[in-house]
Amino acid sequence: MPDTTPTGVYPCYENQFSIDITGGDGTTPANNKTIADMETFSVSIDGNVEEWNPYDTEGWTRRLVTGKAITISVSGKRNVGDDGNDYIESIATKTGSECSTTLTWNFPSGAKLVMPCVVNVTEWGAGESRAVAPLAFDAMSDGKPTFTPAT
């Protein structure tokens, strides 16, 4: 059977995201909704690095990554009536566990990241008089995500 794994470059819109609008673990497909009218996303990975300087390395520093955190920053437009967009907007003023949910990222290659996260709304409906109302948020990992490579 031929290998059907995509190769080469691809447009960013082939990355697809969904969010569990019940604040759940993402395992119930009906609860996972895309977020309409999102335009950009960026991903930052923060590694916790422990450093030490043993005598046997003759002054050279040793390092070990001892922890990780992922933040996916998403921005776009407010779309009233879209389940995913409404969910993000609904937690703009909430705190605590009401901001916890699961984000799923489907990569163009077929790989998938399922990330328990805390959602922090960072931009909410304000702007110039002729602009479309924005909606932006950070999905910040809350524990270890599950990455499934493409098959």
Side-chain angles (χ1 to χ4, degrees), residues 66-78:
T66 60
K68 293 272 185 176
I70 298 173
T71 299
I72 301 174
S73 299
V74 183
S75 65
K77 305 300 183 199
R78 177 68 179 106

Side-chain angles (χ1 to χ4, degrees), residues 10-55:
Y10 57 87
C12 286
Y13 68 77
E14 288 186 5
N15 291 282
Q16 294 294 309
F17 295 91
S18 62
I19 195 147
D20 189 325
I21 64 169
T22 66
D25 63 7
T27 59
T28 304
N31 295 341
N32 295 320
K33 304 292 183 180
T34 59
I35 307 163
D37 289 308
M38 295 295 103
E39 300 174 288
T40 64
F41 77 97
S42 63
V43 180
S44 62
I45 300 174
D46 179 24
N48 300 86
V49 179
E50 182 85 18
E51 296 183 353
W52 67 101
N53 297 294
Y55 290 107

Side-chain angles (χ1 to χ4, degrees), residues 23-139:
D25 63 7
T27 59
T28 304
N31 295 341
N32 295 320
K33 304 292 183 180
T34 59
I35 307 163
D37 289 308
M38 295 295 103
E39 300 174 288
T40 64
F41 77 97
S42 63
V43 180
S44 62
I45 300 174
D46 179 24
N48 300 86
V49 179
E50 182 85 18
E51 296 183 353
W52 67 101
N53 297 294
Y55 290 107
D56 63 343
T57 60
E58 300 175 4
W60 286 90
T61 300
R62 298 270 334 262
R63 292 185 174 104
L64 181 67
V65 176
T66 60
K68 293 272 185 176
I70 298 173
T71 299
I72 301 174
S73 299
V74 183
S75 65
K77 305 300 183 199
R78 177 68 179 106
N79 184 324
V80 178
D82 173 75
D83 289 339
N85 200 293
D86 288 347
Y87 174 73
I88 297 298
E89 190 271 342
S90 77
I91 59 178
T93 61
K94 294 181 179 176
T95 60
S97 62
E98 291 180 301
C99 298
S100 296
T101 191
T102 302
L103 181 88
T104 300
W105 177 3
N106 291 299
F107 294 77
S109 67
K112 179 164 77 169
L113 181 77
V114 177
M115 185 175 81
C117 64
V118 171
V119 174
N120 180 38
V121 176
T122 58
E123 196 173 2
W124 181 31
E128 295 180 15
S129 63
R130 295 177 299 141
V132 176
L135 182 64
F137 65 95
D138 293 332

